[in-house]
Amino acid sequence: MNILKLRYLLVSFIFLSGFSLMYGQCAGTNTTIDVCTKDDDVGNRNFDLFAQLGGSPTTGGSWSTTNPANFVALNQTTGIVDLWRINNYGVHRFTYTNDACGESAVVTINLGGYPGEDNIDGSANACSDDSSVNLHGFLGSNIDGKVQDFNGLWEEDPSTVTNQLVNNYFNAQAAGPGIYIFTYTVAEVSSCASRTSTVILEVHPAANPGIPSSLTFCTNEDFSAYTNLDLNSRLTNADPNGTWSEDGTNQLSDLNDSFINIQEINENFGYGTYSFTYTVYPSHPICQERSSVVNINILPVLDGEISTDNVCFGSSYVVDLSYDDTILHNGEFILTYTVDGARGEANATLIDGNGSFTIDSGLVPVNQMLSLDIINAISINPLRDVCPTVIVPATTFLVADSSVSIQDICVDNDTTANFTTILDATGNLANGTFNMDYTLVQPDGSSANFTNIELLFTNGSASLNLPRSNFTEDGPYEAIFSIANTFSTNCPISDTITVTPVPSAITLDLLVDNNCDATQIDVLIDAPILSNGTYTITYDVTEINSNTVLTTNTINFTGGTADYQIDVDALPVGNYIASVRSTQNDTTPCRLIFEFEEFENFSRGGVPEPPQAAPNQTFCLSDFSSEPTLMDIEVTASGDLLFYATETDNDILPITTLLESGEDYFISNTDPANNCEGSNRVQVTVLLSNPDGPTSSNTTPLFCAEENPTLSNIVIDAPIGSTIVWFDAAVNGNALEASTILVDGQSYFAAINNEQNCTSTERLEITPTVISVAPTELSATSLIACGLDNPTILELRALENEVDNDVFWYTVETGGTALTNDVLLITNTIYYAENYNATTGCTSATRVPVDVELSNCDPENYDFFIPDGFSPNADNRNDTFFVPNIETIFPDYTIEILNRYGTTLFRGDRNNPAWDGSNGSSMAPNGVYFYIINYNKDNLEPVQGRFYLNR
């Protein structure tokens, strides 16, 4: 098994190796060669690349190169390359690709450079006016196809350096005439050495005809200074050996002549361009002959006048021009002009001394005087120069946009003529009153004249009303106005007014055979014929209570008359509305109403229920600003009410009929849904009531303000069974409650309200006097004393400053009983002082409070001491421990009692001043105890001490 495996591997190796040898190098292998002097061997024009491949290449492949310069030199099929056509020395690569094996190989040629042949025999020449001399043109060989490489380096010889060489181009114009030496070097490539060739270039001077300076004149100028002009003076830097020539003026006698007479030229030939040529020949044929031309330009002149009219805005602004045609040719011109400085251009045809042009309306402001000036003329046909100096005086003109506009109207309507930008005689906007006439041409051709109308203008504007009496017929009217003392232009102050008639309207009608019990309704239509629209007519019957449409129909037509019947005999008993409606969609001018409707209420059977009303009704006259009428009777009914004087009368009383007291009135009603009147009438008897006014024995009563008197406190005499009502005015005004507080000096008005609840129209005026006593004045609002002195009300009396009134003292702010002078004062109590006027018996409404503090006691003056013991044995003597008078002298004091262990047994103050010897629920034993007293007054320090408890 091992021997067989080895043989298999050997066979496989030999097979695979043989395949690689047969196909792996069908393109050959890469090769590099040096070719140094390609120019020495003409055979290099057919250099075989295939022969240069290594290995064993097979034919059938193709050649390529990535260098575009080599593309034309290579035959891609044969691999033959023309090395003479490769004009760039260096490394060149050519790739052979054989698609049979998918392999490629590269032939690399290190190609030496060829600098061309030396040119030093004087055949290299250039002209000094050539700024770009190509030095490559002086190299090369006489052998066809042998051309120097182009990627070498050109350099100036140090002996003739000019710094005017850029790559292979030499600026002979900048360098000037002379002999210059240049070298051209191709660098070494691989084993190929660098090579150099030399060019000796001679630069020859160019012919110089100089820089010419032409002359330009206007044909109307003074030429006296130019009768012997030397043309040589019009050249700068010219060679002196040239000659002058000309065509047509005969000013030059021979080639040596250079003098001309421009005045004579103008006199003989007029305006035009006259050319004189100066020619110079070169010193070497490499240079060309040169010439300069001096032109004598004699320009035509526009010399004339312009005129234009004052015109209306929107007209063509044409300007007439007259000119001297002996110095200006006929033709088409572009004229440049200014309108008040604004520049414009216009085409003008000028023939035999006359022409015209139109001003651009966009440059022309309206309603102001303008200056027009021509500043330049250009000849476009024929195309030639014209003297820039135009001799045309400026002129003035004005463009007005004065106008009137009148609104179109319908027949029998006023309209207004609105005048705008009307100018006064000086060309300014009109201000003030101007006299006007106008003619109104009517549609029938007749005219109405209106004269001496004074119209006030403001800044050129005014309005004039044209009354409707002038426009009773439809058709076109023309109003033509003439305004005196205004600026004259061709503006027509007129306008056309179109007066349109009001179109006829459709007529609709409903005829019900019996409104209270209908059986048939006729719908009548009379509609004008519409030329540009249609009518949509709908008629229907609707049950009123449910708003249900029971019958309906819609008709569309363009006009005419029609009569339709609605059968309602089968409808159930009830109330209905029959309606017919029309809408139209025409656009007839002056039509204002496009929708029309007619309706009629009717009924099928039945009349309304009779009205309900109280048979006797009283009317208080005070409830009415004017006398009551029938409409004030209270009636409950459906529909509209009807009033009659008797039960059978057919004459309906006007609703504004005044009521008469004791009179009877009879009332019926109609159903608003069908206008049917009820068969029964209700009787109402009317009573008009107006009680006598109240009386009083005192219309100026007196009251005290502190009692808060009200209207109920005023005594008024009134009949038994009546009441008093109050008002704030003698007539009308507002009702006042009896609890209204009285205001001093204010009038109140009393009226009687009788048993019929009617108020008297007569009112009694009452003006009360309400006396207010001012609060008392005190010297202080607080009193500080010592309660141990037993102070009384007399202490408070010392605060009184009252002279005219008595003062009473109370312990309450309102009410209460006055205190007598011997009443003891109570500490921390507020006392109130009240003024009392003995003459009126009135007191002040408010009392003045005074705070009383009775702790102003000096302990030393009142034998103040702290006991040193007590005996709580229930013998009613010395049974509690307390400090006498301490609550008076030190009202805010506190006391704390402790046993000898520091345990607090009691805390007291003025509300709990005495300790009974208890310790909670038990009694403290006999012994020594301690107290701590905080006086809480005048920053006194607390005191502490001991005392003895002995039961």
Side-chain angles (χ1 to χ4, degrees):
M1 288 294 293
N2 291 337
I3 294 173
L4 291 175
K5 182 176 182 181
L6 179 60
R7 288 177 178 174
Y8 173 78
L9 292 173
L10 287 173
V11 171
S12 299
F13 174 75
I14 292 171
F15 174 79
L16 293 173
S17 298
F19 182 85
S20 177
L21 291 173
M22 293 173 62
Y23 298 100
Q25 295 183 0
C26 70
T29 59
N30 296 338
T31 301
T32 300
I33 60 174
D34 292 350
V35 178
C36 293
T37 55
K38 65 177 182 178
D39 52 294
D40 288 345
D41 186 0
V42 71
N44 285 330
R45 300 202 67 176
N46 294 284
F47 190 82
D48 188 358
L49 294 174
F50 189 84
Q52 306 303 319
L53 291 171
S56 301
T58 61
T59 60
S62 61
W63 290 87
S64 62
T65 178
T66 59
N67 189 338
N70 299 339
F71 186 77
V72 297
L74 175 65
N75 186 316
Q76 298 181 56
T77 302
T78 64
I80 300 299
V81 62
D82 185 351
L83 296 182
W84 282 18
R85 297 190 67 179
I86 299 177
N87 301 119
N88 292 281
Y89 64 86
V91 179
H92 299 270
R93 294 180 176 86
F94 302 90
T95 302
Y96 177 67
T97 303
N98 194 329
D99 293 335
C101 61
E103 296 291 338
S104 296
V106 177
V107 174
T108 301
I109 300 176
N110 295 318
L111 186 62
Y114 171 52
E117 306 301 326
D118 292 335
N119 192 336
I120 58 177
D121 58 359
S123 62
N125 295 282
C127 191
S128 63
D129 60 357
D130 191 348
S131 62
S132 182
V133 179
N134 188 351
L135 297 179
H136 276 301
F138 303 117
L139 297 177
S141 168
N142 293 327
I143 300 174
D144 184 44
K146 185 187 287 189
V147 180
Q148 74 272 15
D149 289 343
F150 299 133
N151 59 338
L153 174 65
W154 283 98
E155 294 177 296
E156 291 187 282
D157 188 85
S159 64
T160 60
V161 172
T162 65
N163 295 320
Q164 296 302 320
L165 178 65
V166 178
N167 296 325
N168 55 299
Y169 290 96
F170 176 62
N171 189 343
Q173 185 179 42
I179 296 176
Y180 303 94
I181 302 174
F182 304 92
T183 60
Y184 182 64
T185 302
V186 292
E188 65 180 21
V189 179
S190 186
S191 63
C192 302
S194 63
R195 300 169 65 186
T196 300
S197 60
T198 301
V199 173
I200 299 177
L201 175 67
E202 182 177 0
V203 177
H204 299 274
N208 183 7
I211 300 173
S213 177
S214 297
L215 286 172
T216 300
F217 304 91
C218 293
T219 188
N220 59 348
E221 287 188 31
D222 180 9
F223 292 92
S224 60
Y226 298 95
T227 58
N228 193 31
L229 174 69
D230 185 358
L231 292 173
N232 290 325
S233 66
R234 306 308 299 173
L235 298 175
T236 303
N237 298 326
D239 290 346
N241 58 343
T243 61
W244 287 95
S245 61
E246 57 116 350
D247 184 19
T249 67
N250 298 318
Q251 289 292 312
L252 298 176
S253 60
D254 54 38
L255 294 178
N256 295 316
D257 191 2
S258 63
F259 290 88
I260 62 173
N261 185 338
I262 300 178
Q263 179 174 298
E264 188 176 89
I265 294 174
N266 185 50
E267 291 173 352
N268 293 336
F269 302 100
Y271 52 83
T273 297
Y274 306 95
S275 300
F276 297 86
T277 304
Y278 183 72
T279 303
V280 178
Y281 295 91
S283 61
H284 190 279
I286 194 67
C287 298
Q288 299 177 353
E289 69 176 56
R290 301 294 183 185
S291 61
S292 295
V293 177
V294 174
N295 289 321
I296 305 301
N297 300 305
I298 302 177
L299 304 180
V301 176
L302 175 57
D303 184 352
E305 293 182 349
I306 54 174
S307 63
T308 186
D309 295 328
N310 299 315
V311 296
C312 192
F313 177 76
S315 303
S316 295
Y317 307 149
V318 178
V319 181
D320 293 323
L321 171 62
S322 59
Y323 64 95
D324 183 356
D325 61 352
T326 63
I327 57 175
L328 184 67
H329 56 280
N330 293 341
E332 301 290 333
F333 290 79
I334 296 177
L335 302 181
T336 302
Y337 60 88
T338 61
V339 177
D340 270 14
R343 183 184 295 262
E345 290 185 348
N347 291 335
T349 300
L350 304 184
I351 299 176
D352 299 335
N354 291 288
S356 64
F357 64 94
T358 302
I359 303 172
D360 181 0
S361 61
L363 300 178
V364 181
V366 296
N367 305 317
Q368 65 184 67
M369 196 61 68
L370 305 171
S371 176
L372 173 64
D373 192 13
I374 296 179
I375 61 174
N376 191 27
I378 298 175
S379 176
I380 58 175
N381 186 17
L383 184 63
R384 65 187 306 168
D385 290 336
V386 177
C387 182
T389 302
V390 175
I391 307 174
V392 177
T395 189
T396 59
F397 72 105
L398 182 146
V399 175
D401 65 349
S402 304
S403 64
V404 62
S405 61
I406 308 176
Q407 184 178 6
D408 293 338
I409 56 172
C410 298
V411 166
D412 291 326
N413 275 276
D414 292 347
T415 189
T416 301
N418 293 307
F419 299 89
T420 56
T421 57
I422 302 299
L423 306 180
D424 62 19
T426 64
N428 296 313
L429 291 173
N431 283 285
T433 301
F434 288 75
N435 191 274
M436 173 191 297
D437 299 337
Y438 75 91
T439 299
L440 189 63
V441 181
Q442 301 182 10
D444 61 3
S446 62
S447 298
N449 296 313
F450 303 87
T451 60
N452 296 322
I453 299 170
E454 292 188 345
L455 193 60
L456 179 62
F457 283 83
T458 302
N459 293 328
S461 297
S463 296
L464 176 66
N465 181 66
L466 305 182
R468 65 183 63 197
S469 58
N470 293 320
F471 306 107
T472 58
E473 301 293 333
D474 62 280
Y477 292 72
E478 184 180 11
I480 305 169
F481 299 88
S482 175
I483 308 173
N485 299 319
T486 56
F487 195 82
S488 176
T489 68
N490 62 349
C491 291
I493 311 300
S494 63
D495 197 13
T496 299
I497 314 155
T498 299
V499 178
T500 303
V502 177
S504 300
I506 190 172
T507 300
L508 304 175
D509 198 7
L510 292 168
L511 298 180
V512 182
D513 60 354
N514 185 343
N515 285 82
C516 295
D517 193 11
T519 59
Q520 179 176 298
I521 301 172
D522 288 328
V523 180
L524 305 178
I525 302 168
D526 185 359
I529 301 297
L530 297 180
S531 61
N532 60 351
T534 59
Y535 297 95
T536 299
I537 298 175
T538 301
Y539 59 87
D540 51 38
V541 174
T542 303
E543 201 278 320
I544 292 178
N545 291 332
S546 64
N547 201 31
T548 301
V549 178
L550 303 178
T551 301
T552 186
N553 191 26
T554 298
I555 305 155
N556 292 301
F557 76 133
T558 58
T561 60
D563 184 356
Y564 303 94
Q565 287 75 42
I566 306 175
D567 186 2
V568 296
D569 187 44
L571 294 178
V573 172
N575 295 321
Y576 302 88
I577 296 177
S579 68
V580 57
R581 298 175 298 281
S582 172
T583 62
Q584 56 197 83
N585 58 2
D586 64 309
T587 57
T588 306
C590 292
R591 186 181 298 285
L592 301 177
I593 303 174
F594 295 85
E595 297 182 4
F596 301 87
E597 181 177 10
E598 291 291 332
F599 61 87
E600 185 75 25
N601 291 356
F602 68 93
S603 177
R604 283 287 300 145
V607 294
E609 293 293 327
Q612 302 293 320
N616 297 295
Q617 296 189 21
T618 300
F619 296 87
C620 301
L621 296 184
S622 61
D623 293 339
F624 300 90
S625 57
S626 58
E627 295 184 57
T629 64
L630 291 175
M631 69 176 61
D632 297 308
I633 296 177
E634 295 183 0
V635 182
T636 301
S638 61
D640 298 326
L641 297 176
L642 302 176
F643 294 86
Y644 299 92
T646 66
E647 188 172 6
T648 59
D649 195 0
N650 292 325
D651 295 329
I652 301 173
L653 297 175
I655 195 68
T656 56
T657 301
L658 297 178
L659 298 181
E660 296 183 16
S661 186
E663 190 65 44
D664 295 330
Y665 298 94
F666 296 85
I667 308 167
S668 69
N669 61 319
T670 60
D671 189 335
N674 54 30
N675 294 321
C676 294
E677 183 177 355
S679 57
N680 296 321
R681 300 178 182 178
V682 61
Q683 179 180 348
V684 174
T685 302
V686 170
L687 174 65
L688 303 182
S689 176
N690 185 19
D692 294 334
T695 61
S696 175
S697 60
N698 184 8
T699 59
T700 57
L702 182 68
F703 297 95
C704 294
E706 76 275 9
E707 296 174 351
N708 292 322
T710 65
L711 290 173
S712 62
N713 298 122
I714 299 176
V715 177
I716 300 295
D717 298 327
I720 297 174
S722 62
T723 58
I724 302 298
V725 291
W726 291 94
F727 299 89
D728 60 2
V731 178
N732 297 325
N734 301 305
L736 302 175
E737 297 291 335
S739 59
T740 300
I741 301 295
L742 299 180
V743 177
D744 181 49
Q746 180 172 311
S747 293
Y748 301 91
F749 300 87
I752 295 294
N753 192 286
N754 62 14
E755 293 176 344
Q756 287 79 32
N757 200 30
C758 290
T759 302
S760 64
T761 56
E762 180 185 354
R763 298 177 183 177
L764 176 65
E765 181 178 5
I766 302 293
T767 306
T769 298
V770 181
I771 298 174
S772 297
V773 178
T776 187
E777 294 185 3
L778 302 176
S779 60
T781 57
S782 63
L783 176 66
I784 300 176
C786 181
L788 299 179
D789 293 333
N790 295 318
T792 66
I793 294 299
L794 285 175
E795 299 291 336
L796 294 174
R797 296 284 182 195
L799 303 178
E800 298 173 4
N801 286 330
E802 194 64 45
V803 176
D804 297 329
N805 299 307
D806 298 329
V807 179
F808 295 118
W809 290 91
Y810 298 85
T811 57
V812 291
E813 190 172 3
T814 58
T817 303
L819 303 175
T820 59
N821 290 342
D822 58 351
V823 173
L824 292 174
L825 298 179
I826 302 173
T827 189
N828 292 331
T829 299
I830 298 177
Y831 292 84
Y832 297 89
E834 178 184 83
N835 257 359
Y836 172 73
N837 186 283
T839 302
T840 62
C842 296
T843 61
S844 58
T846 59
R847 298 172 179 175
V848 180
V850 175
D851 292 324
V852 173
E853 171 60 48
L854 301 180
S855 63
N856 189 23
C857 303
D858 187 348
E860 295 182 357
N861 295 334
Y862 297 96
D863 297 328
F864 179 75
F865 72 97
I866 300 173
D868 58 1
F870 77 113
S871 56
N873 53 12
D875 62 355
N876 294 326
R877 291 187 304 169
N878 204 21
D879 284 336
T880 59
F881 179 81
F882 68 98
V883 179
N885 297 325
I886 190 171
E887 70 278 5
T888 300
I889 300 172
F890 303 104
D892 295 323
Y893 84 97
T894 61
I895 185 171
E896 184 178 6
I897 296 177
L898 306 90
N899 60 18
R900 59 181 180 174
Y901 302 109
T903 302
T904 299
L905 304 180
F906 175 76
R907 285 189 175 90
D909 55 22
R910 65 181 298 168
N911 297 317
N912 185 25
W915 183 44
D916 60 2
S918 60
N919 182 11
S921 60
S922 61
M923 300 301 293
N926 292 345
V928 177
Y929 293 86
F930 302 89
Y931 61 83
I932 300 174
I933 297 176
N934 286 287
Y935 292 118
N936 294 327
K937 181 179 179 182
D938 298 336
N939 294 322
L940 294 175
E941 295 292 331
V943 298
Q944 56 185 4
R946 65 175 66 190
F947 65 92
Y948 190 79
L949 187 156
N950 184 22
R951 296 188 184 276

